[in-house]
Amino acid sequence: MAERIVSLIDADTIAARVRELGKQIAEDYKGRNLVLVCVLKGSFVFTADLARAIESSTMRIEFLGVRSYGEGTSTSGVVQITQDLSRPIEGEDILIVEDIIDTGLTIAHLLDLFRTRKPASIKVCALLHKPARTRIEVPIDYLGFTIEDRFVIGYGLDWGEKYRNLESISVVESQ
Ligand code: PRP
């Protein structure tokens, strides 16, 4: 059966929302030690755009490599750190940037992990949230869009490691 890729949230809509989030974050973190933590790989595109939408001369950006082990397409919540942050975060204001929160297991694990490092604060910014698949409730302090339970690709999100470079957030439809 043939498949076609259909845009769900187009590039202009994403850009407008990212600008709003960036403005809000800049206001909320004025005068503080903001560190964006980009959770690889999915959030590399979102983080790149969000970082440029946050007006700040002191913000740092860190990258965290994670690998989730699970039953096929869904995460088990057991997250292996494949690349840790380059510096300690004690006393800093951490904003974890995720492309998508699905079951919530990954972000719950990361919140537990980072809390042990004694940051001044820790919050979550996610571009997408799929409430239908929630297995653990996690606070989402900044959210781009709530979406239905559909498999989405593009803007950093992959389908078998491909399609991360699509400009829009898209769905795969069978024809
Ligand atoms: C995705 C996404 C989150 C996680 C969310 O990563 O980037 O880290 O899944 O799912 P959860 O809420 O059910 O835990 P993925 O494992 O697809 O890896 P990738 O970012 O490298 O594509």
Side-chain angles (χ1 to χ4, degrees):
M1 198 188 296
E3 277 131 351
R4 75 191 172 114
I5 290 164
V6 180
S7 170
L8 185 68
I9 308 173
D10 66 35
D12 288 346
T13 308
I14 299 169
R17 187 73 188 113
V18 171
R19 271 196 301 274
E20 286 173 0
L21 289 172
K23 224 173 159 188
Q24 185 65 53
I25 291 166
E27 267 175 46
D28 293 352
Y29 284 89
K30 216 172 210 164
R32 294 167 62 190
N33 304 314
L34 176 59
V35 181
L36 292 190
V37 175
C38 170
V39 183
L40 297 170
K41 295 177 186 172
S43 78
F44 81 103
V45 178
F46 178 39
T47 304
D49 285 345
L50 182 68
R52 287 175 291 178
I54 299 172
E55 225 180 280
S56 165
S57 53
T58 56
M59 178 176 72
R60 295 203 294 118
I61 304 170
E62 288 280 343
F63 298 89
L64 186 76
V66 300
R67 189 184 291 143
S68 310
Y69 289 93
E71 334 81 57
T73 54
S74 62
T75 177
S76 65
V78 179
V79 177
Q80 185 193 12
I81 304 300
T82 57
Q83 182 192 314
D84 207 341
L85 308 181
S86 68
R87 288 169 55 172
I89 54 171
E90 187 169 348
E92 295 190 291
D93 295 296
I94 304 305
L95 185 58
I96 304 178
V97 182
E98 268 287 24
D99 50 329
I100 187 163
I101 295 181
D102 202 328
T103 62
L105 293 169
T106 302
I107 201 74
H109 180 89
L110 295 181
L111 285 168
D112 283 350
L113 172 72
F114 286 156
R115 279 191 191 115
T116 65
R117 301 183 183 184
K118 301 185 169 49
S121 69
I122 180 158
K123 289 193 172 181
V124 174
C125 176
L127 181 67
L128 304 172
H129 181 216
K130 261 190 208 176
R133 287 174 58 92
T134 300
R135 283 173 60 186
I136 181 165
E137 291 284 348
V138 287
I140 307 176
D141 304 281
Y142 302 94
L143 176 63
F145 305 95
T146 299
I147 57 168
E148 287 173 25
D149 188 10
R150 300 183 73 182
F151 184 71
V152 284
I153 59 173
Y155 199 72
L157 293 130
D158 72 308
W159 181 18
E161 289 299 327
K162 286 173 272 187
Y163 297 106
R164 293 192 195 273
N165 56 320
L166 287 181
E167 287 198 337
S168 62
I169 293 160
S170 306
V171 290
V172 182
E173 285 186 352
S174 305
Q175 287 182 309

